[in-house]
Amino acid sequence: MFSKLEILTGSPDETQKLGRTIGTIALEGDVVLLHGDLGAGKTCITQGIAEGLGVKEPVRSPTFMLVNEYQGRLKLYHADFYRLDNLNEIWDLGIDEYISGNGLFVVEWAEKGIDVFPEEHLVIKIINVDENQRKFLISSKGIRGNMLLQNLKNILVEQGN
């Protein structure tokens, strides 16, 4: 099984395409944790994930709402921990309901709450290479995370990426 994957994108469109691929293979109960600096592309990849799930409405960063919910093939719970300072604030969101919910849980600034997440997840670290280019370091934890990563790798190979 692949436990790590590195992908380079050269534009926001390519970043969203990567997200769409993740959205098409995601299963109910999957958790995707996003790490990266401001402007790295966390919301951009989430917009692609939403599109891959068949979400029709615009997806925006939930920085001030903290968690947005969208309906597609699965529910998408999109959280942003940027403004949160401690684990108590994260627990106060009712995070356990989203984690054990009937959808896909995607979290921006996930490093702020790493201790609250289940053992099964996908981690996507986004690094700004330049204005348009991004490096995605994707790793998994647990059987379910490994399955998601393996399926992503297989699709990218089929697409010639």
Side-chain angles (χ1 to χ4, degrees), residues 142-153:
I143 294 169
R144 192 173 182 122
N146 287 337
M147 283 177 37
L148 186 55
L149 184 57
Q150 179 66 52
N151 290 338
L152 177 61
K153 171 88 172 155

Side-chain angles (χ1 to χ4, degrees), residues 19-27 48-49 51-54 73 155 159:
R20 276 192 303 277
T21 302
I22 294 168
T24 60
I25 61 175
L27 299 174
I49 291 170
E51 191 176 322
L53 289 171
R73 163 178 75 77
I155 289 172
Q159 294 174 348

